[in-house]
Amino acid sequence: MMMASRQGASKLASSMMLVSRSFSTATARGIVAKEAVPAKAVGFNADVVRRNIGEFWGVRGSVFGLRHGSTASYSGKDQQQEEVKHSQPVAEGGDKAEEKNAIVSYWGVPPSRVTKEDGTEWKWNCFRPWETYSADLSINLTKHHAPVTFLDKMAYWTVKSLRWPTDLFFQRRYGCRAMMLETVAAVPGMVGGMLLHCKSLRRFEHSGGWIKALLEEAENERMHLMTFMEVANPKWYERALVITVQGVFFNAYFLGYLISPKFAHRMVGYLEEEAIHSYTEFLKELDKGNIKNVPAPAIAIDYWRLPSNSTLRDVVEVVRADEAHHRDVNHFASDIHYQGRELKEAPAPIGYH
């Protein structure tokens, strides 16, 4: 009997040494304190030792499960709190579907509860209330930069040449045309901002706010696309065309911006002028009744702070105003380069809507 007790004690001590090497000091001490005291109190009775060893391996197995799931070690109290938290039922009146679809992660950041000014819950994750604005509809829509230099003419006729196949393909389907236009228009701001970002890192210098201004432009164009996706249903071949056009245009504009930023910004300025023209034609079709003036999508009402009874026509008007602002920003950026200066030398028009 004494020999069996000694063997049991030897196994318990070896297992405790394994734990002390496998886990943090605090975790190992907690297990040793929990298991060693009862065994010592009964004088290493063989049955009690075997029972405690079995319990010890059960605790060790659960801790191993935690260690495999995370690099952080849980104490017993923390583990119990986590189990209680996850086992609590959904509160009365809560959204069970939302609770079921919630992302659970040890490293998860707690979701923020955002509300509107009237106290109702904000339902958009892609933008926040402080990123919304009211579009300036008083902007001059007829302004045009007359091409004078060789690069200006090259940029102008490049855009004009791109309009011909677009007119041929979409004809008067302005909803799908707007969707395609925005998939292209959202690229230059991202490319320009990315290249300015890398330039700022290489030269250890500020950008004058132009990185943020160009990325704001790209995000604004993307929100145009998200809006028109609510009113236009692109066909499979139109989606395929988007993939092709985006792949070609992204790489072409990337190279163009590396070679000549003044040309790249001038071309975007002319592209925005064409966008103004396209949305003006869109409005004419709405006024004629050829396109149904449906209620404005909810995302548009919140993003542009439109009245709740706004229609598609109101949405097209604010989008056209956005394009006019982008026209001004890119022609301005090109003028800076034409004067032999860098963008950082002129304050960026951040928040210019």
Side-chain angles (χ1 to χ4, degrees):
M1 177 66 70
M2 184 63 69
M3 181 64 70
S5 299
R6 289 177 179 175
Q7 290 176 353
S10 176
K11 291 180 180 179
L12 178 60
S14 300
S15 301
M16 292 174 181
M17 291 175 66
L18 174 62
V19 172
S20 65
R21 288 193 295 267
S22 301
F23 307 105
S24 63
T25 306
T27 307
R29 285 176 180 170
I31 296 174
V32 171
K34 179 178 179 180
E35 302 301 332
V37 173
K40 183 177 180 180
V42 297
F44 288 100
N45 180 277
D47 294 334
V48 175
V49 170
R50 281 193 293 271
R51 184 171 65 252
N52 279 281
I53 290 175
E55 294 175 356
F56 165 76
W57 281 108
V59 175
R60 177 173 178 265
S62 64
V63 175
F64 261 124
L66 289 173
R67 294 291 292 173
H68 282 292
S70 169
T71 55
S73 59
Y74 269 6
S75 65
K77 184 178 180 181
D78 293 335
Q79 183 181 357
Q80 292 175 1
Q81 291 176 349
E82 287 293 325
E83 291 174 353
V84 170
K85 182 172 68 175
H86 288 297
S87 63
Q88 289 178 344
V90 180
E92 185 177 357
D95 189 350
K96 293 184 178 181
E98 182 178 350
E99 185 75 17
K100 183 179 180 181
N101 295 329
I103 298 176
V104 179
S105 170
Y106 175 78
W107 301 106
V109 179
S112 57
R113 307 294 292 182
V114 182
T115 58
K116 297 181 181 180
E117 295 177 354
D118 58 4
T120 58
E121 185 177 358
W122 184 259
K123 62 180 179 180
W124 310 106
N125 291 329
C126 52
F127 64 100
R128 298 300 188 180
W130 52 86
E131 297 174 329
T132 63
Y133 63 95
S134 297
D136 178 18
L137 300 180
S138 64
I139 189 170
N140 189 342
L141 300 173
T142 61
K143 289 171 65 176
H144 167 67
H145 178 83
V148 178
T149 66
F150 171 76
L151 286 180
D152 281 358
K153 293 178 180 179
M154 183 178 175
Y156 178 79
W157 288 110
T158 298
V159 173
K160 285 295 184 181
S161 65
L162 293 175
R163 179 179 172 178
W164 179 79
T166 305
D167 290 342
L168 183 64
F169 185 81
F170 290 103
Q171 296 182 2
R172 309 200 74 80
R173 292 183 297 125
Y174 285 100
C176 293
R177 184 192 186 102
M179 178 204 65
M180 172 62 74
L181 177 65
E182 299 302 342
T183 61
V184 173
V187 171
M190 181 60 66
V191 173
M194 176 186 66
L195 290 176
L196 287 180
H197 175 76
C198 293
K199 181 180 179 180
S200 175
L201 297 178
R202 290 194 309 270
R203 296 190 177 182
F204 305 96
E205 63 185 16
H206 294 286
S207 69
W210 280 93
I211 296 174
K212 185 174 183 179
L214 293 177
L215 293 181
E216 277 185 353
E217 176 187 315
E219 174 63 12
N220 181 249
E221 298 284 10
R222 192 185 67 84
M223 288 304 299
H224 294 174
L225 174 63
M226 296 299 103
T227 299
F228 284 116
M229 285 295 294
E230 298 292 326
V231 296
N233 186 20
K235 300 178 175 60
W236 68 268
Y237 57 84
E238 291 173 336
R239 292 177 179 270
L241 182 62
V242 167
I243 296 174
T244 304
V245 171
Q246 186 184 81
V248 173
F249 184 74
F250 179 93
N251 290 284
Y253 189 80
F254 181 88
L255 293 176
Y257 202 100
L258 285 176
I259 297 170
S260 177
K262 69 177 72 171
F263 165 79
H265 282 294
R266 187 69 79 201
M267 190 184 78
V268 176
Y270 288 130
L271 185 65
E272 299 295 354
E273 291 183 16
E274 289 297 327
I276 295 171
H277 173 76
S278 294
Y279 286 118
T280 300
E281 294 297 316
F282 197 162
L283 290 171
K284 290 179 181 178
E285 293 297 309
L286 284 167
D287 292 338
K288 293 177 182 178
N290 296 332
I291 299 177
K292 188 177 180 181
N293 191 21
V294 298
I299 190 172
I301 291 176
D302 286 339
Y303 184 69
W304 283 285
R305 301 178 186 174
L306 296 172
S308 58
N309 60 346
S310 297
T311 62
L312 177 59
R313 193 184 195 286
D314 300 314
V315 175
V316 175
E317 280 189 333
V318 295
V319 170
R320 183 177 62 171
D322 285 347
E323 305 295 3
H325 287 85
H326 300 328
R327 171 204 62 193
D328 295 351
V329 170
N330 281 277
H331 280 314
F332 175 52
S334 184
D335 289 344
I336 295 173
H337 285 292
Y338 265 107
Q339 295 172 24
R341 313 289 286 275
E342 293 191 21
L343 293 182
K344 66 177 182 177
E345 299 180 51
I350 297 176
Y352 178 63
H353 296 297

